[in-house]
Every structure is written in structure tokens, then in C-alpha cells.
Amino acid sequence: MPPRALLRAPRGFSAPAFLAYLAVILLVALVPQLSHKPLILHMWIMVFLAIAQGSAWNVVGGYAGQYSVGHAAYFGIGGYITMLLLEQHQVAPWYGIGLAVAGSLILSVIIGSITFRLRGPYFVLASIAMAEIIRLAALHFRDFTRGAEGILLSGIPPLTTPWFTVKFLGKVPFFYATLGLAVIVVSANWLVQHSKLGYTFQAIREDQDAAHSLGINPTLHKNLALMISAAFTASAGGLFALYVRFIDPNIAFGIDVSVQMVLICIIGGIGTILGPVVGSVVLVLLSETLRNPKWLVQAGVMSDESPTVNFIEAHLSNAHVLFYGVLVVVVVLFAPEGFLGLLRGATARLRKRLAARRGPPSRPAAAA
Amino acid sequence: MPAILEIQHVSKHFGGLAANSDVSFDVGLGEIVGLIGPNGAGKTTLFNCITGYYPPTRGEVLFKGVRVNGLQPDAVCRLGMVRTWQKVRPLAKMTVLDNVMVGALARTHSLRVAREAAREQLHVVRLEGKAGFLAGGLPIGERKKLEVARALATRPELLLLDEVMGGLNQSESEEIILLILELKRLGLTQVVIEHDMKAIMRLSDRLVVLNSGEKLAEGPPREVATNRDVITAYLGEAVDA
């Protein structure tokens, strides 16, 4: 018997799943009403940004199967355009991010038309090279980007609408802004998976030549996937720069930005809607805990005097990359479909066991 | 019989190697043309030239009177000509149904319509029982059928089959033969590359024989089978000749 599809695409719209999704968003949106502890809110914001980045990468890497390790190019261009417009031309960031998205679309078309001539590992290398070229350019053209000095944000003007005014003080506005972006990008993944575009992307991922013979234009659709991905990545980059109030070529265009986006998907489950969400939670918890374990104290999980917190602060604050490495090896060896694949496998086995207990299994249904 | 496909003086050179040289023949509407020849005769190369994978070095390919050499494979498919692959190419991590839907989506934007069409095609090749399985896990016989179903889902007017019976057992081959004949009855024009001589004699209205990239013979199966040149190409010359 050939294996049944474990990671089968869900069939279209399901009302209970949609309601559950809405409920989760609403619950999460209540968090700042319950607690204003800055380190906790910081964790959430980092998770939302990671979800936005991972899900954005997932469109081109997960669905279309083009493993770009150069997405820092779009993240950085988003951050730089937003910051430069705000600091030098006083363009409000909500317009700035819009222009950053436009810039990233142009950049993605240029990079795509060059790198998509290559396949497999050659494409990966070319994508890394593109991001590095931009990083080095950002370092070099000091008059324009201020080079390695970076750009420090002096302040964000308040957002005034006829109904309300938002002052960008503290973490709460960023909590909602990043949550909103994460919701948009995850929803975009759902739309891609449940449309002709998703089938097209996946066919290219599985076999580009076969897809080509079935009426799919691979070059066009790979570029489309990259454009969607780049636009969301640039939005995340813009929000990130505004949130940390500083940007320099290494923060914006460094290869660890690109690698992190890939790792989120690999660890969570590549080419699935929830995979990047799961991967973001795992990776951000890991890296932020190692960098600043004090959030555990604020969360009330550990006391201020806890030896664990002190040990992490003293010895492991720079070890997150090491932990990433170990985690990736473990996932690739033991859970090639990521944490989400593990979860689904476990629930499938559980369901089978329950069904077996309920009565002798009838003839296995061929298509369910 | 009006020609649906006209191959005119097609040559394909790879450096100094002439994989096809000056091949010409027509395929009439509704007929099955068998394309045979020893290994390396240039059969698959000719398929690649017809369907847009290689631009021919010289010559013209007309499909329904439209020049198609120089077109990309996806454009060729949308015009109504689709091929299968000798080495099957299932979209391994997608289900059997999704594989066929990818084909059907060449003609529609609606997933619902595509799903219906895909189920229909799976029924035609008798794979409907495997709709929910991952394509990568199918045995070879079913992969070949999936290949045909996926091609049919693009609603072609001309189907190019590249050794769909290779590696199949007797009963699986028989199923494919009946399928090809059924498709013919429904009016589908087909060009079939096949090594199994018994099968190809039974299927074809006309045979085209390629040898070392050149067209060696063309005609009704019985005639071609007794052609001296063809016998020589397959079996070699007599020792004292």
C-alpha cells in the first residue's frame, strides 16, 4: 500500500477552522489589556515579526520550492526605505512602509529575473550573493545610507485619524501592528494554498519540467511567488526597524536574517500554513530566552534569584546560534516535516488507536 | 484526413551530434501514429522538439496549422498538445487527485471545476481509488496511468505518449492499450513511442521509423514490419553482406 497523504491540503473553506482562527487572534489581541510587562510584550512582538517573516518566506520557499537564502535583501530594503524616508524626508512610516513594499517589488523582479535562471543549489548560492551585494552596497554608499554607522530613529510622529490618535510610545502599538501583519501574511498563505496559484507553485516545486508541460509558465510563477514573498518581508523589515529604532547594514541585510527565515519554516514545517507559526514560537522562545532570560521572571515562571536565569545570563547569552544548529540537525534527522509534521503524525496515530479501540477497522477507505 | 501535426524537415543538433536530421511526417486528425526505432534513434528528442523543450536547429513544426517551434512548453500545452514522460514525473508530495488537478487547471481558474475534471480523468484511467494517496508512493504501473490522466486533464487534441508501457507487466500493458484505443474512439489523436512491437503493431494506424536521427520508413504497420531497411536497423546486417 502506498502511503496515504499525511500533509494533505485541507479542502477549501471550513467554518469551524475559520472561527477557531478568529478566536485565537482575538484572544491574543487581549494580551496587552491583561499585562503591560515590557519583556513579555517584547516576546510577543518578536514572535509576530518572526511569523510574518517565516510565512512570507514560505510562499516562495515552501510552496514554490525556491529556497532563497537571500531574503535579508527584502527585509533590509524594507527597513532602510522606511527609516530613510522618515529620518530624512519626514515621510510618516505608514506611507513609508507602502513605498518600502513598492521598492521591494522592484528589487524582487530584478533579483528574480537573474537568480531564477538557476535551479537548486545554484539558485540558493545566487540568492545569497544578491543579498550580500546589497549589504556591501549599503555599507559602501555612506552618503546615502550612513554606512556602518547606521540610522538611529529620532521619533515616530503620532498617527492621527478622525476617530483616534496613536502615539508610538512603548510596546503596545507595535504589538498590534506586528500582530496585524502576522495575521495578514498567514491569511495570504491560506489564500495561496487554496487557490490555483498554490497548485501552480507546488507543481513547480515538485517538478518544474512536468509543470511546464502541463501549461504552467515556471519563470512567471516563480517571480510571482517571490514578489508576494518580498512584499511581506519588506513590511516586516519596516516594522522591525521602527520597533528597534535603529538599523545598520548587518542588522538589515546580514545573512543571519535570511537564515532565520529559512529555519523558521524548516523547524515548523515547510510548505504548510501553520508551520511558520509553530517554527516562530519555537525559535523566538529559544533565542530570546538565551539572549535575555529575564522575561521568564516577568512572566512569573521563574523567580528573580533563579539559578537557571543567572546561568543563562552568565554563560549562554551568545549561544543561540549553537542551539539553532543543534535544533536544525535534530529536526532534519527526526522530523523532516517539522514540528507541525510531528504533531500531525501524533494526532493521526492517536486517532487510529482510538478507532481501533472502538471496534474492528472496516476496510481502509481509499479516499477520505 | 487533414493533418493536425506537420513536422517539416526538423533537425536537432547537439554540438556535432545530429539527434534528428531532416525528419518530416504528418499526423492526421484522429489517427494513432506509432514512432519506433532502436535506442538512441532520436524519438524522445523529436518529442522535445515538438513540445517546445528544445528549439529545433532547423525545420518547422505546425500544430493545427500554427507554427509551434519556438513556443514554450506551456504555450504548446495551452494550444492543445501535451506529452507524457518516459521517465515518469509524478508531483511526488502532492496527492494523486492534486496531480491531475494541476493538469486540469490549465483550462480553468476554478479549483472546484478542476477537481471535478480531475476525478473524471482518474475514473478514465481507473485510478479513482487512489485519489487521496501521495503520488510519490504509487507503484510504477499506477504512476504511468497517473501520467496519462494528468496529461488528459489538460484537454489535449493531440497526446504524445513516450513509452507509457515501459516497465509494465502484461496485464498493465493491456490496460494501457485498451485505454489508448478507447481514447482514439473518442476522437483523440495520438503519437505513441513504444518498444513493445506487438503492442505498437496493434495500436498504430501508421508507423514512422527513426534510425540514427533520420526517418527510415513510414507507412501502415504491416508494410513497415517487412521493410528490409527496418529489419536491418533493428537486427543488423547479415554477416556476409
Side-chain angles (χ1 to χ4, degrees):
Chain A
M1 278 292 244
R4 289 278 295 284
L6 263 183
L7 293 178
R8 198 143 27 95
R11 293 270 169 259
F13 180 81
S14 120
F18 181 67
L19 289 178
Y21 181 54
L22 279 187
V24 168
I25 295 170
L26 282 177
L27 276 180
V28 172
L30 285 177
V31 166
Q33 313 302 324
L34 305 174
S35 156
H36 270 290
K37 288 176 181 160
L39 283 182
I40 307 286
L41 290 184
H42 172 75
M43 290 294 289
W44 283 101
I45 293 169
M46 293 314 276
V47 169
F48 296 151
L49 280 171
I51 291 172
Q53 290 178 64
S55 299
W57 185 88
N58 196 39
V59 173
V60 71
Y63 290 111
Q66 308 299 311
Y67 280 35
S68 158
V69 190
H71 261 53
Y74 313 113
F75 184 79
I77 206 96
Y80 261 98
I81 292 182
T82 309
M83 291 287 260
L84 282 171
L85 285 173
L86 181 55
E87 277 300 297
Q88 295 183 350
H89 304 281
Q90 287 75 49
V91 177
W94 35 100
Y95 302 118
I97 289 180
L99 291 168
V101 166
S104 74
L105 287 174
I106 296 170
L107 183 68
S108 70
V109 170
I110 297 169
I111 291 183
S113 62
I114 299 168
T115 55
F116 281 139
R117 290 159 194 267
L118 304 168
R119 292 197 200 180
Y122 305 100
F123 168 78
V124 174
L125 290 176
S127 70
I128 295 174
M130 290 293 156
E132 277 298 285
I133 290 171
I134 296 173
R135 185 179 69 86
L136 293 172
L139 271 173
H140 180 77
F141 294 105
R142 302 167 143 271
D143 297 340
F144 186 53
T145 64
R146 294 188 215 161
E149 206 180 292
I151 302 170
L152 195 62
L153 189 65
S154 46
I156 305 173
L159 169 60
T160 340
T161 68
W163 306 280
F164 57 86
T165 304
V166 184
K167 286 185 191 142
F168 286 87
L169 297 170
K171 298 196 185 292
V172 175
F174 287 103
F175 178 94
Y176 287 111
T178 51
L179 170 63
L181 181 64
V183 168
I184 291 173
V185 186
V186 172
S187 309
N189 269 254
W190 190 92
L191 283 177
V192 163
Q193 183 165 322
H194 293 83
S195 68
K196 179 173 177 176
L197 215 50
Y199 278 81
T200 307
F201 290 169
Q202 291 179 67
I204 292 171
R205 174 187 74 201
E206 293 301 318
D207 191 323
Q208 183 176 326
D209 291 321
H212 207 173
S213 76
L214 296 169
I216 291 168
N217 181 341
T219 314
L220 173 73
H221 285 96
K222 284 194 284 188
N223 275 298
L224 265 178
L226 183 63
M227 286 168 75
I228 297 172
S229 183
F232 290 132
T233 308
S235 315
L239 280 183
F240 172 82
L242 294 171
Y243 175 60
V244 303
R245 299 177 147 252
F246 175 71
I247 197 166
D248 75 14
N250 287 326
I251 293 176
F253 295 112
I255 189 159
D256 23 335
V257 176
S258 305
V259 171
Q260 164 130 356
M261 293 174 77
V262 183
L263 290 189
I264 287 169
C265 292
I266 291 180
I267 286 170
I270 229 162
T272 58
I273 295 165
L274 287 178
V277 178
V278 175
S280 298
V281 172
V282 172
L283 266 196
V284 171
L285 279 183
L286 183 67
S287 69
E288 293 298 316
T289 303
L290 291 173
R291 268 183 220 158
N292 188 0
K294 282 274 188 272
W295 80 273
L296 291 168
V297 178
Q298 282 203 357
V301 180
M302 287 180 184
S303 78
D304 211 4
E305 300 302 311
S306 156
T308 319
V309 170
N310 290 331
F311 178 79
I312 294 174
E313 272 198 316
H315 300 288
L316 294 176
S317 57
N318 285 316
H320 65 278
V321 181
L322 177 70
F323 279 79
Y324 277 17
V326 174
L327 189 61
V328 169
V329 172
V330 170
V331 165
V332 168
L333 282 178
F334 300 109
E337 279 167 351
F339 273 61
L340 193 68
L342 276 187
L343 286 176
R344 286 192 179 163
T347 47
R349 274 194 300 279
L350 191 70
R351 206 171 292 160
K352 208 185 247 175
R353 203 172 302 162
L354 287 177
R357 199 172 297 168
R358 228 172 273 146
S362 53
R363 194 178 54 82
Chain B
M1 200 167 358
I4 185 167
L5 180 72
E6 299 161 59
I7 297 167
Q8 298 169 349
H9 309 290
V10 165
S11 298
K12 177 68 198 173
H13 295 217
F14 295 104
L17 175 81
N20 289 138
S21 40
D22 200 21
V23 176
S24 300
F25 62 90
D26 290 352
V27 176
L29 195 62
E31 73 174 339
I32 296 180
V33 171
L35 189 57
I36 61 169
N39 287 327
K43 305 180 294 287
T44 298
T45 303
L46 188 63
F47 266 22
N48 285 334
C49 285
I50 298 170
T51 51
Y53 278 89
Y54 302 148
T57 313
R58 269 191 297 280
E60 299 264 293
V61 181
L62 302 178
F63 176 63
K64 297 191 286 187
V66 182
R67 185 169 175 272
V68 293
N69 50 304
L71 290 187
Q72 287 289 309
D74 55 305
V76 171
C77 169
R78 284 193 297 271
L79 274 177
M81 174 158 63
V82 71
R83 57 94 59 88
T84 66
W85 302 82
Q86 180 180 1
K87 187 181 168 297
V88 288
R89 291 170 169 270
L91 309 173
K93 285 189 184 155
M94 297 170 78
T95 63
V96 168
L97 182 67
D98 285 350
N99 264 259
V100 185
M101 276 177 71
V102 168
L105 284 167
R107 298 288 173 207
T108 172
H109 292 297
S110 151
L111 292 190
R112 202 178 42 78
V113 173
R115 193 167 291 131
E116 280 310 301
R119 285 199 191 285
E120 233 165 77
Q121 291 309 334
L122 284 178
H123 179 74
V124 168
V125 302
R126 309 216 159 68
L127 265 185
E128 63 268 58
K130 294 291 169 73
F133 288 76
L134 284 184
L138 294 181
I140 182 67
E142 291 176 350
R143 287 187 195 205
K144 295 263 181 184
K145 284 191 196 169
L146 173 61
E147 191 86 10
V148 177
R150 199 173 62 183
L152 286 175
T154 68
R155 281 202 261 132
E157 288 166 63
L158 172 59
L159 178 63
L160 307 169
L161 296 170
D162 196 347
E163 284 200 38
V164 270
M165 283 171 251
L168 299 193
N169 65 31
Q170 199 92 55
S171 69
E172 288 170 329
S173 295
E174 184 63 23
E175 257 187 89
I176 297 271
I177 291 173
L178 293 178
L179 174 64
I180 293 174
L181 290 172
E182 171 70 10
L183 292 172
K184 183 194 169 171
R185 202 182 56 76
L186 296 171
L188 183 66
T189 314
Q190 297 167 80
V191 179
V192 184
I193 295 180
E194 199 48 69
H195 273 301
D196 179 349
M197 288 309 282
K198 234 166 83 187
I200 199 86
M201 298 293 277
R202 195 172 133 203
L203 284 174
S204 309
D205 298 307
R206 231 150 31 86
L207 280 183
V208 173
V209 190
L210 290 184
N211 186 34
S212 309
E214 291 171 37
K215 189 174 83 174
L216 195 63
E218 176 182 357
R222 235 162 253 295
E223 224 170 82
V224 168
T226 54
N227 182 311
R228 279 197 66 91
D229 293 336
V230 175
I231 294 168
T232 309
Y234 267 88
L235 302 176
E237 309 237 358
V239 181
D240 56 357

